[in-house]
Amino acid sequence: MGDHVHVRLSQGLSVSQEGELIEHSRCRCGATWTKVFDADADGGQPERPSR
């Protein structure tokens, strides 16, 4: 049998009470991951489209 390579399958997104974006992923083998994106990563300013 060969080595196992984790494949992260998206299980959805959520938002914490602090406003952080949380990404949930899992592998078919049962391993899970949670990645948290800081709510104030850009100083709280909304993105503006480039002209």
Side-chain angles (χ1 to χ4, degrees):
M1 186 166 132
D3 293 333
H4 175 74
V5 176
H6 289 296
V7 176
R8 293 183 186 212
L9 304 170
S10 177
Q11 294 298 293
L13 300 170
S14 61
V15 178
S16 72
Q17 291 182 350
E18 294 79 25
E20 299 165 320
L21 179 64
I22 304 170
E23 179 181 29
H24 307 276
S25 304
R26 70 168 182 84
C27 181
R28 289 185 180 109
C29 74
T32 60
W33 297 269
T34 303
K35 184 172 182 181
V36 178
F37 297 88
D38 187 13
D40 197 28
D42 63 355
Q45 298 299 316
E47 292 183 6
R48 302 202 185 272
S50 58
R51 294 183 180 192

